Amino acid sequence: MSNSENSIRSLIKEFRESPLAPLELPRIIKQLSDPNTSILDFKPYYYRDPVLSNYLIEAAWKHAKNKDNAPIAVDHAMSTLGMTGAEKLFFSLQQKLKANEKPVVVSEEVKFLMSGSILAAELVNKLLANSAKAKQLYWPTMTYNFAETLLWHLKPKPMWRIQYRQLVLPKKLPLFEQAKLGFDLREWRMAVAKEWHMNHLIQLT
């Protein structure tokens, strides 16, 4: 295993142990206390949270017996998981966050990336209204920045330096990324796509 691969695996492990919290996880947990709650009640939450969308798609991918038919849309993912699977995921996230010594803070940079993903998905929806491609592209667009979102959450200082370098001196950028992160962004995106079963999402875009 190369140094880049080791750095990536270490960072993914760090994220798995201390995940980025869905923005409205407290409301989701409260919603679960209502005995009349159905999977439809969670639609407003995942339609405005790209991170939660990725978590749901990954959980449904693991849950699906036929991997070729694993969900790529979050509506389908929720249907695949059902209330039992969704509850298991939400409570698991809650327990991991409670176990952390320090609260997981969602930075302004991460919120900005998430907002951009939501706006891009809504724009696709409006531009392709009444087209079959609208639904096909909505969720890939919503989740496209997931890899960068994780890096801004885990490594904000190196990411600020990389962003500045992109603006002032974009030559040999992968080497600069390697120096600051231990890997380049292309390697990171590919690893995240594989880890979170997103290859099919990226191919659709």
Side-chain angles (χ1 to χ4, degrees):
M1 188 177 287
S2 68
N3 289 337
S4 292
E5 290 172 325
N6 282 329
S7 297
I8 288 170
R9 292 311 311 168
S10 176
L11 207 55
I12 287 175
K13 182 182 178 183
E14 180 184 339
F15 182 80
R16 291 289 193 187
E17 292 172 351
S18 182
L20 183 61
L23 293 176
E24 298 193 81
L25 185 60
R27 290 189 183 185
I28 291 171
I29 297 299
K30 185 177 180 180
Q31 183 82 51
L32 289 171
S33 65
D34 183 348
N36 296 316
T37 294
S38 73
I39 57 174
L40 293 176
D41 293 315
F42 298 103
K43 193 170 184 175
Y45 300 119
Y46 59 73
Y47 263 82
R48 56 180 180 244
D49 192 335
V51 171
L52 177 59
S53 297
N54 268 296
Y55 291 164
L56 289 166
I57 288 173
E58 182 194 23
W61 193 95
K62 291 178 178 178
H63 183 82
K65 293 180 180 179
N66 184 346
K67 298 297 190 294
D68 291 334
N69 293 327
I72 61 172
V74 187
D75 294 325
H76 185 192
M78 282 296 291
S79 298
T80 300
L81 289 170
M83 278 300 298
T84 301
E87 283 183 4
K88 183 178 179 181
L89 171 65
F90 297 144
F91 284 128
S92 172
L93 286 169
Q94 183 190 42
Q95 290 304 314
K96 282 185 178 181
L97 293 168
K98 280 184 175 180
N100 291 335
E101 293 182 3
K102 295 191 298 181
V104 178
V105 178
V106 181
S107 69
E108 292 302 313
E109 293 84 1
V110 168
K111 289 179 182 177
F112 180 80
L113 273 173
M114 292 171 69
S115 299
S117 296
I118 295 167
L119 288 172
E122 289 299 326
L123 183 60
V124 164
N125 212 28
K126 290 185 182 301
L127 289 175
L128 299 177
N130 303 318
S131 167
K133 284 188 174 288
K135 287 186 177 180
Q136 185 184 20
L137 292 175
Y138 186 89
W139 294 111
T141 305
M142 171 77 91
T143 57
Y144 191 75
N145 280 330
F146 186 60
E148 281 77 5
T149 302
L150 298 193
L151 271 184
W152 276 99
H153 172 61
L154 295 165
K155 297 287 184 181
K157 289 183 179 179
M159 289 301 289
W160 270 117
R161 294 188 176 101
I162 290 168
Q163 186 178 63
Y164 181 74
R165 175 65 179 253
Q166 285 175 330
L167 294 172
V168 299
L169 188 62
K171 289 183 178 180
K172 297 183 179 180
L173 189 58
L175 291 176
F176 187 81
E177 294 165 353
Q178 180 82 33
K180 296 302 177 185
L181 295 168
F183 49 83
D184 63 51
L185 290 182
R186 180 179 175 276
E187 291 174 309
W188 173 254
R189 291 186 191 104
M190 290 176 65
V192 169
K194 183 177 180 180
E195 178 75 14
W196 274 272
H197 315 292
M198 293 172 63
N199 289 329
H200 54 301
L201 293 175
I202 292 170
Q203 287 166 8
L204 286 175
T205 61

